[in-house]
Amino acid sequence: MAGKKSPSIFSTLQKTTENASAVNGELTRQLPVASLVDNPMNRFSMAEDDEFLSTMRSVEQDGFLEDIVVTPDGENTWRIISGHRRVMAARKLGKTAVPCKVRRYPDKLSELRALMGANVHRRSLSPFDMARQLETLREVLSESGQLPEGTKEQAELMAAQSDLSRATVERYLDLLNLDETMTGWAERGEMTMTDAYEMARRKNVHLQAAVEEYVAHNNANGDFPGLVHRAIAWAKAAELPPPPPKPAPAANPLRTVDSFGRAVRRSTAQLKALDLSADVDRTTARKKLDTCLANLEELRRTVEALKAGLDG
């Protein structure tokens, strides 16, 4: 289970906003657009869709109704926390400066929570936006040593960080199981999200190639999502077996020798620590020690044969 619950991205954003003046002593300042850099942790879509075009018109007609939030990135450069699309609009409109608030975050995770909190309210977010952003959250939690080993525990921690339910987090992350072709279909509307979620389930991942082959050899008749749906139904009805597990990579022989040597040393130390003067069955003890000597003799012959192979 996850340890102490960290504040969610929403509470982080709210606290940052409410206490910004007191904590950071921040003031709105005009910063050159050329000095602002996109945040590498931002996985939300930067597509020039209808929402972006609306943002661009708003910036052109009314200016910036809300400040851009940035954090220091280096000498005279700032990393964007909130306002990637507005800065993109400013660049396209040829603006040279934008109003910014500069905030500082104690660590990478706090910065990411603020970035996510500033974006998750957007109504046009796609499930794939959320899947990729949650993937980044998982990576940052792992880097900071806060990510549990179990997938269930990971989902619970990420749910607490994002104010989503564990089931919702797991459902979004499953989308990352889709291959490039199916991801493209879903993002372009050529596949329903119901079918996308179905094919993203771990038990169905092995069917993706068969579905794509079916689609490639059949006519959509003007209804591509319908063709994909029929392909999925066909693949599931065919009860195609999952592929056999990949063979384990061959062990490094030198590492095997090192490991065996350590095991022999541990066993030798344990034998040295034995006290056979106590009340033990001496006859049984002698038989077991004779067996040890026989095993050691076989080990000696095996090692000698390996050495001889090297000399040959």
Side-chain angles (χ1 to χ4, degrees):
M1 292 295 293
K4 184 178 178 181
K5 182 178 178 180
S6 299
S8 73
I9 56 177
F10 291 105
S11 60
T12 299
L13 179 65
Q14 182 180 24
K15 182 177 179 181
T16 301
T17 302
E18 291 175 349
N19 299 336
S21 295
V23 175
N24 294 299
E26 65 183 26
L27 295 172
T28 299
R29 51 198 293 194
Q30 294 289 326
L31 293 178
V33 172
S35 69
L36 306 184
V37 297
D38 292 339
N39 198 309
M41 292 192 292
N42 179 44
R43 302 289 298 278
F44 295 112
S45 173
M46 296 290 288
E48 295 184 26
D49 51 18
D50 290 342
E51 185 184 28
F52 172 74
L53 295 177
S54 176
T55 297
M56 194 167 172
R57 285 193 296 270
S58 174
V59 169
E60 185 175 26
Q61 295 170 9
D62 306 315
F64 288 86
L65 304 179
E66 186 179 353
D67 295 334
I68 309 298
V69 177
V70 299
T71 194
D73 184 68
E75 186 175 356
N76 296 323
T77 58
W78 291 267
R79 194 164 55 249
I80 303 170
I81 301 298
S82 171
H84 283 84
R85 290 160 73 87
R86 284 174 286 148
V87 171
M88 181 177 171
R91 289 170 179 151
K92 285 188 170 292
L93 292 169
K95 294 187 177 294
T96 58
V98 292
C100 297
K101 283 186 170 65
V102 179
R103 294 177 183 163
R104 291 171 172 78
Y105 301 92
D107 51 45
K108 192 174 182 179
L109 181 58
S110 298
E111 179 178 332
L112 176 59
R113 285 202 300 262
L115 184 152
M116 291 181 67
N119 283 277
V120 294
H121 66 281
R122 281 169 43 197
R123 287 176 294 178
S124 64
L125 283 181
S126 78
F128 290 94
D129 282 337
M130 286 303 303
R132 295 176 184 119
Q133 198 62 63
L134 286 169
E135 181 182 36
T136 299
L137 175 59
R138 181 167 56 189
E139 292 169 354
V140 172
L141 286 167
S142 178
E143 290 172 6
S144 63
Q146 300 181 48
L147 190 69
E149 290 187 6
T151 54
K152 178 180 176 181
E153 289 76 14
Q154 290 179 13
E156 287 177 344
L157 176 59
M158 295 170 70
Q161 294 290 322
S162 56
D163 274 4
L164 300 170
S165 69
R166 191 192 82 201
T168 300
V169 168
E170 291 174 334
R171 190 168 166 84
Y172 281 140
L173 289 175
D174 276 351
L175 290 175
L176 300 174
N177 295 329
L178 293 176
D179 64 19
E180 185 177 353
T181 296
M182 288 203 169
T183 298
W185 288 349
E187 291 199 285
R188 292 190 299 270
E190 297 173 352
M191 176 184 193
T192 68
M193 284 309 303
T194 298
D195 283 341
Y197 283 121
E198 182 65 18
M199 292 308 298
R201 298 174 68 182
R202 289 181 179 85
K203 70 175 186 178
N204 292 331
V205 168
H206 70 284
L207 300 177
Q208 293 181 23
V211 169
E212 291 162 12
E213 184 175 0
Y214 182 101
V215 169
H217 290 86
N218 288 273
N219 195 326
N221 294 319
D223 183 11
F224 196 88
L227 174 59
V228 173
H229 185 76
R230 292 194 300 275
I232 293 172
W234 168 82
K236 294 174 71 174
E239 297 183 350
L240 302 173
K246 294 181 180 179
N252 184 323
L254 295 182
R255 291 184 62 182
T256 301
V257 171
D258 286 341
S259 177
F260 184 77
R262 289 192 294 271
V264 169
R265 288 194 293 273
R266 285 195 299 270
S267 298
T268 301
Q270 291 171 348
L271 284 173
K272 287 181 177 179
L274 291 179
D275 181 7
L276 297 182
S277 63
D279 186 14
V280 297
D281 184 336
R282 293 178 179 272
T283 301
T284 301
R286 286 193 180 92
K287 288 181 179 180
K288 290 184 178 297
L289 290 172
D290 286 341
T291 300
C292 285
L293 289 173
N295 289 336
L296 287 172
E297 179 58 26
E298 183 178 357
L299 171 62
R300 185 191 66 77
R301 290 195 297 268
T302 301
V303 172
E304 290 292 345
L306 289 171
K307 290 179 62 179
L310 292 174
D311 294 338

